[in-house]
Amino acid sequence: MDSSPETAQIDTTGPEPAASGVVVQAHRPDPARSTPLTVAVKRAIEAVRDETRALRADPTTDLKTYEYGKSQALLDLMRARSLVPPAAYSDELKAELADFKQVLEENIGLLELHMNAVSEVVQLMSRTMIDFDSDGTYQAPFPERAR
């Protein structure tokens, strides 16, 4: 067997070397590597659920506490996300992300409902103030409804 460079065989069954000569490995689901992101997603789910529960229990609740919790959860998610490539997401993390999406959709729907109610109240108050300030000589056009 000749071992000269001209006749040497290259193994093409393994991972391809990158341009820098470093061998690039394909990522596989890795529960251990996904753990920081899984924990961050679970915390974010709880922060959003807490706000949703509070809004359902009392629509006039002060949302500052929940706003802080959601902001902190977002920061945690961004930090943890940078540690885990999507190809390494574990099945547990994928399930948590699906749950998170559902929880967010529910929260967004409830917040939209509350924002629409606030908009209607503001519109009613604005019309009332315009009517009160007007002597009827000129009728000011009412601004279009906010979208």
Side-chain angles (χ1 to χ4, degrees):
M1 183 163 158
D2 187 8
S3 62
S4 67
E6 294 84 34
T7 61
Q9 297 220 350
I10 299 173
D11 180 11
T12 59
T13 60
E16 288 292 320
S20 64
V22 176
V23 175
V24 179
Q25 294 286 336
H27 294 287
R28 293 189 186 122
D30 185 351
R33 193 166 182 196
S34 297
T35 298
L37 186 53
T38 303
V39 170
V41 170
K42 286 180 180 182
R43 274 190 259 157
I45 288 171
E46 277 311 303
V48 173
R49 279 187 177 151
D50 288 346
E51 181 182 64
T52 302
R53 279 192 288 267
L55 281 169
R56 284 213 165 100
D58 179 10
T60 63
T61 192
D62 183 13
L63 297 179
K64 282 287 185 197
T65 303
Y66 304 102
E67 179 184 339
Y68 176 78
K70 285 176 25 175
S71 294
Q72 187 62 49
L74 179 60
L75 179 62
D76 291 346
L77 282 170
M78 289 184 347
R79 287 178 177 163
R81 168 59 189 92
S82 68
L83 301 173
V84 186
Y89 287 5
S90 67
D91 290 339
E92 179 186 9
L93 176 55
K94 289 176 184 176
E96 291 296 333
L97 287 170
D99 189 27
F100 189 33
K101 180 181 178 187
Q102 185 178 19
V103 168
L104 282 172
E105 287 171 352
E106 180 182 1
N107 183 260
I108 288 168
L110 191 57
L111 287 171
E112 283 176 344
L113 180 70
H114 284 273
M115 290 302 295
N116 289 339
V118 168
S119 178
E120 288 180 27
V121 169
V122 167
Q123 195 172 38
L124 179 64
M125 290 174 63
S126 296
R127 282 192 180 143
T128 302
M129 290 184 336
I130 288 171
D131 290 345
F132 180 76
D133 286 343
S134 172
D135 66 358
T137 306
Y138 303 103
Q139 181 126 13
F142 194 74
E144 254 187 62
R145 182 176 179 195
R147 294 172 206 231

